Amino acid sequence: MALAPSQLDASPAAHGASPSRAATLTDVSRQTGLSVATVSRVLNGRPNVSDTARRKVNAAAKTLGYRANAAARALVRQRTDNIGVVFPNIDNDFFREVLVGINHAARQSGRHLMVAFALDAEDEPDLIAEYLSGGRVDGLIVLNIRQSSDALGDLTQESIPVVLVAGPAERRKDRHMVRMANEQGADDAVTHLLEHGRRRLAILDGAPNNSDAVERAAGARRALDRAGIDRGDVRFWEGNFFEDTGYDAVHRAVATGEMPDAIFAANDSMALGAMQALRELGRRVPDDVAVMGFDDLPAADHYGLSTVRAPLREMGAESARVAIELIEAGVPTGPLACHDRVMPTSLICRSSCGCPACTRPPASAAAY
Amino acid sequence: MALAPSQLDASPAAHGASPSRAATLTDVSRQTGLSVATVSRVLNGRPNVSDTARRKVNAAAKTLGYRANAAARALVRQRTDNIGVVFPNIDNDFFREVLVGINHAARQSGRHLMVAFALDAEDEPDLIAEYLSGGRVDGLIVLNIRQSSDALGDLTQESIPVVLVAGPAERRKDRHMVRMANEQGADDAVTHLLEHGRRRLAILDGAPNNSDAVERAAGARRALDRAGIDRGDVRFWEGNFFEDTGYDAVHRAVATGEMPDAIFAANDSMALGAMQALRELGRRVPDDVAVMGFDDLPAADHYGLSTVRAPLREMGAESARVAIELIEAGVPTGPLACHDRVMPTSLICRSSCGCPACTRPPASAAAY
DNA sequence: AAGGGCTGTGGAAACGTTTCCATCCGAATT
DNA sequence: AATTCGGATGGAAACGTTTCCACAGCCCTT
């Protein structure tokens, strides 16, 4: 009450030397002579505070280097402003791009990321369970969850929202999910090859238990059917997403004399393997055989591989946006109304598809 | 006091349906009839609790799915068990490996990771400042901090320990740092080439303002000097770590007729560029020209490039260990006694160095 | 002139832990 | 049998916020 004006008393370590403890609301309160309630109101931009008080508090907070303690705030607000991100233990090239997208969206909303990689397959459920309770995060993003590890039971049991990125297809009605348009992307690629007059196609398949692979194969078939291509002209080659299966498939084809005039590989790794085999065998790309892949790995650019870009950053950013949306909507999102956001792919024409008209779009990442 | 034995009253949502709020210590206390103090003691494995109480509490905690609230615990313990990790905005292939290493060490110590990427160069200092105060993390790891963005002033001013990974050389005595043995690695690579009888060497340099590049070049020079190689036999080619500078350098060499019999490139990207140029020019690797790189990118394996493995996971893990060590030691680590941990590199012989004796070590990552 | 509605402010409770301190009890010591 | 000791337990404070509620002025209306 007795507020001596302009009291510049030796406040506790104004910006002193030692790594002193962080300033608290009480410190600001003492320095300004105002109550912690008022100080808190100013610092949170709440109404009903006089301009005088506002000025004093802001000045003192700046001097003291005040920053609200996250734990105390989380405790009373019942909200941490953190989002958890769980990665599978499997080494995955995409991971970085997805995380960059998540980071972008999270930071735009002023939230922070808690990131964890499963150390092994058994570790994943533990990790998820750890984030689901404990109040460490307000929402959880799980990448590429392994089919088996359903630490996730019933959506309605959970106290925080969970968003799956590139999760198993069968959980789509059951879980909030963000994925890419695998089918449309593959359709686009095959259609592109057909539009360039290629007719004797080979489809290099991915691992059959991988949902990306299955969907891409389906997209390729859809394009072939729509164009009315004779199935006798199409070869379906088995692969498993690894480079050597692309390489081997081409060598087998040359052995049996069944070389196509175009190859669509369900991912870039296999496409690059196929291109290497073609080069070794003296076949020219794209003159003799056109090749398209899927994913748009950095290496694709380097080798001029035309491909379908997997919108990884967009998927990451979208998953964060969905999580935030669910967090802000409050807990009871119920079992109904699951999100299933499908991020569009885009065709990237380089040299391997053999269309001179197409120019490579800028490698920008403007909006995600 | 009046504890009715075996009271199985309708506890608040034992494991009910709705996404009810998480169980608290008070819930467990009510269910067991014991005080929160005792419950807390049991759950933290503290002594001076009867076995009866221990059993009752553990059972109730399990039934209720109790997990301690992180914010409340952090508030009273003045410690979050979180470690912050800040990445520069620059796209960096290494980032993932480093993070995996950090994750491993952090999780082994039961800590969690808060990860953030700087959105752009100006963003980095903000990010660092945000983690330095606010009590969100107990320690901070900053990767590859940009020379300019010294949001980091004086070590002694900071309230939490900060560890730099691959930071600027000039801060080594000033800051806790974890880095790799660039000089020794480059020395090893050049020595290896010399041991195979190569004498007309070319050293493909990295960007001169990059400390990794400078150190690697110094290591190469050290090996040459020690072997007493005539400097007239050695060419120093300028590069900037990008693939095309390796490619161009080889083309220039062939134009001037100064083709060496071995090339050491300061990183794999340039080495791969050089190899591609050699292939195009009809020179055989390693027969005509041996090539070695540095980093051990995934692509190095694919192209049989012999190289020096950059111990990225180890650097990550070590940085986390240093951070944890500093956290546990308490704040006042003072300006003296800065850590400068140098993680050893290792020679990876594949086919491009031309030594049949060397076999490729397993691609394990056993211990990090 | 009295009442009512705003505005600015402070006190105090609450969030969920951990931990200090006091208390109580039974067993061991004198 | 009186005393001490140590183990088991509960009460309550503390951590740093936010926010509800009460209250004191003040201006405006009737």
Side-chain angles (χ1 to χ4, degrees):
Chain A
M1 304 265 177
L3 168 61
S6 74
Q7 50 177 9
L8 298 175
D9 58 355
S11 62
H15 24 60
S18 70
S20 59
R21 83 183 210 305
T24 79
L25 265 195
T26 313
D27 294 333
V28 181
S29 158
R30 256 200 295 271
Q31 181 147 102
T32 55
L34 293 160
S35 72
V36 289
T38 300
V39 173
S40 173
R41 275 188 285 257
V42 171
L43 263 16
N44 288 297
R46 288 244 144 36
N48 293 346
V49 186
S50 69
D51 283 352
T52 334
R54 232 173 256 285
R55 267 193 301 274
K56 271 200 278 192
V57 168
N58 284 327
K62 187 159 187 180
T63 311
L64 295 169
Y66 172 80
R67 193 174 291 248
N69 179 283
R73 175 174 279 179
L75 186 58
V76 60
R77 283 195 184 163
Q78 297 286 73
R79 160 168 70 87
T80 62
D81 289 340
N82 292 157
I83 297 177
V85 184
V86 171
F87 286 95
N89 66 313
I90 308 162
D91 281 7
N92 187 332
D93 285 338
F94 307 148
F95 132 92
R96 177 180 172 284
E97 289 296 299
V98 176
L99 186 52
V100 166
I102 294 175
N103 175 74
H104 193 90
R107 247 171 95 54
Q108 273 186 335
S109 81
R111 270 164 248 254
H112 293 256
L113 254 34
M114 308 217 52
V115 175
F117 296 72
L119 298 182
D120 50 50
E122 301 87 58
D123 192 34
E124 195 180 83
D126 295 349
L127 215 43
I128 294 175
E130 191 159 353
Y131 278 141
L132 277 184
S133 53
R136 217 173 281 272
V137 299
D138 302 334
L140 186 58
I141 297 175
V142 181
L143 266 82
N144 226 325
I145 192 172
R146 348 185 77 241
Q147 320 268 101
S148 54
S149 94
D150 266 16
L152 300 171
D154 188 352
L155 189 72
T156 57
Q157 300 289 98
E158 287 151 14
S159 47
I160 60 169
V162 177
V163 179
L164 266 36
V165 176
E170 63 271 22
R171 302 302 294 267
R172 244 169 235 165
K173 285 301 151 207
D174 178 23
R175 281 283 165 193
H176 303 290
M177 195 165 299
V178 174
R179 55 195 175 102
M180 68 178 115
N182 278 313
E183 193 167 338
Q184 185 61 46
D187 186 330
D188 291 346
V190 170
T191 302
H192 187 69
L193 291 169
L194 294 172
E195 280 170 353
H196 286 67
R198 311 282 172 161
R199 282 298 172 272
R200 300 193 327 281
L201 264 59
I203 309 298
L204 190 39
D205 228 333
N209 59 350
N210 178 301
S211 61
D212 285 334
V214 172
E215 291 169 22
R216 291 173 188 180
R221 280 195 177 77
R222 191 174 77 186
L224 294 168
D225 290 348
R226 197 181 45 244
I229 298 298
D230 182 353
R231 276 296 172 91
D233 286 345
V234 180
R235 293 281 166 271
F236 289 90
W237 293 342
E238 244 177 61
N240 65 1
F241 273 167
F242 286 100
E243 189 159 356
D244 52 354
T245 54
Y247 182 91
D248 294 344
V250 167
H251 272 281
R252 261 200 309 278
V254 90
T256 60
E258 292 190 319
M259 186 58 78
D261 62 4
I263 299 174
F264 167 66
N267 78 350
D268 283 353
S269 292
M270 295 191 298
L272 291 168
M275 281 173 76
Q276 193 183 344
L278 289 167
R279 198 186 316 122
E280 289 177 10
L281 294 165
R283 311 296 169 109
R284 289 169 311 160
V285 174
D287 310 280
D288 301 328
V289 184
V291 178
M292 292 202 67
F294 202 124
D295 283 345
D296 196 26
L297 297 183
D301 185 35
H302 182 247
Y303 291 101
L305 173 64
S306 295
T307 189
V308 180
R309 196 177 83 84
L312 301 176
R313 290 196 181 197
E314 290 83 347
M315 288 167 67
E318 185 66 11
S319 68
R321 277 188 230 109
V322 171
I324 291 166
E325 190 181 312
L326 292 167
I327 290 167
E328 290 182 347
V331 191
T333 40
L336 22 140
C338 275
H339 292 274
D340 179 28
R341 309 252 174 120
V342 184
M343 308 308 289
T345 59
S346 48
L347 216 53
I348 308 285
C349 284
R350 300 197 175 93
S351 58
S352 74
C353 58
C355 55
C358 298
T359 59
R360 186 191 151 196
S364 84
Y368 52 90
Chain B
M1 304 268 178
L3 167 59
S6 76
Q7 52 176 6
L8 298 173
D9 59 356
S11 62
H15 26 57
S18 71
S20 60
R21 83 182 211 305
T24 80
L25 265 196
T26 312
D27 294 332
V28 181
S29 158
R30 258 200 294 270
Q31 180 147 103
T32 56
L34 293 160
S35 72
V36 289
T38 300
V39 173
S40 173
R41 274 188 286 255
V42 171
L43 264 16
N44 287 298
R46 287 242 146 37
N48 292 346
V49 186
S50 68
D51 283 352
T52 334
R54 231 173 257 284
R55 266 193 302 274
K56 272 201 278 193
V57 168
N58 284 327
K62 187 160 188 182
T63 311
L64 295 169
Y66 172 80
R67 193 175 293 248
N69 179 283
R73 174 174 280 180
L75 186 57
V76 60
R77 284 196 183 161
Q78 297 286 75
R79 159 167 71 87
T80 62
D81 289 339
N82 293 158
I83 296 177
V85 184
V86 172
F87 286 95
N89 66 313
I90 308 163
D91 281 5
N92 187 333
D93 285 337
F94 307 148
F95 132 92
R96 176 181 172 284
E97 289 295 301
V98 176
L99 186 51
V100 166
I102 295 175
N103 175 74
H104 194 89
R107 247 171 93 55
Q108 273 187 334
S109 81
R111 270 164 247 255
H112 293 256
L113 255 34
M114 307 219 52
V115 175
F117 296 71
L119 297 181
D120 51 51
E122 300 87 58
D123 191 33
E124 194 180 83
D126 296 348
L127 216 41
I128 293 174
E130 191 160 351
Y131 278 140
L132 278 183
S133 53
R136 216 172 282 271
V137 299
D138 302 334
L140 187 58
I141 297 174
V142 182
L143 267 81
N144 225 326
I145 193 171
R146 347 185 77 240
Q147 321 267 102
S148 55
S149 93
D150 266 17
L152 300 172
D154 188 350
L155 189 71
T156 57
Q157 300 288 99
E158 286 151 16
S159 47
I160 60 169
V162 177
V163 178
L164 266 36
V165 176
E170 62 271 23
R171 300 303 294 268
R172 244 171 236 165
K173 286 300 150 208
D174 179 24
R175 281 282 165 194
H176 303 290
M177 194 164 300
V178 174
R179 56 194 174 102
M180 68 178 117
N182 277 314
E183 193 165 336
Q184 185 61 47
D187 186 328
D188 291 345
V190 170
T191 301
H192 187 70
L193 291 170
L194 295 172
E195 280 170 352
H196 285 68
R198 312 282 172 161
R199 283 297 173 272
R200 300 192 329 280
L201 264 58
I203 308 297
L204 190 40
D205 228 333
N209 59 351
N210 179 300
S211 60
D212 284 333
V214 172
E215 292 169 22
R216 291 174 188 180
R221 280 194 178 78
R222 192 175 76 187
L224 294 168
D225 289 348
R226 197 180 45 243
I229 299 297
D230 183 354
R231 276 296 173 91
D233 286 344
V234 180
R235 294 282 166 271
F236 289 90
W237 291 343
E238 243 176 63
N240 65 1
F241 273 167
F242 286 100
E243 188 159 357
D244 53 355
T245 54
Y247 182 92
D248 294 345
V250 167
H251 273 281
R252 262 200 309 278
V254 91
T256 60
E258 291 189 322
M259 187 57 77
D261 62 4
I263 300 174
F264 167 66
N267 77 350
D268 283 352
S269 292
M270 294 192 299
L272 292 168
M275 279 172 78
Q276 192 183 344
L278 290 167
R279 197 186 315 123
E280 289 177 11
L281 293 165
R283 311 295 169 110
R284 289 170 310 161
V285 174
D287 311 279
D288 300 330
V289 184
V291 178
M292 292 202 67
F294 203 124
D295 284 344
D296 195 27
L297 297 184
D301 184 35
H302 181 246
Y303 291 102
L305 173 64
S306 295
T307 189
V308 179
R309 197 177 83 83
L312 302 177
R313 290 196 181 195
E314 290 83 347
M315 289 166 70
E318 185 68 12
S319 69
R321 275 187 231 111
V322 171
I324 290 166
E325 188 181 315
L326 292 167
I327 289 168
E328 290 182 347
V331 190
T333 39
L336 21 140
C338 274
H339 292 274
D340 179 26
R341 308 251 174 123
V342 184
M343 307 308 289
T345 59
S346 48
L347 215 53
I348 307 284
C349 284
R350 299 197 176 92
S351 58
S352 74
C353 59
C355 54
C358 298
T359 60
R360 189 193 149 194
S364 84
Y368 50 90

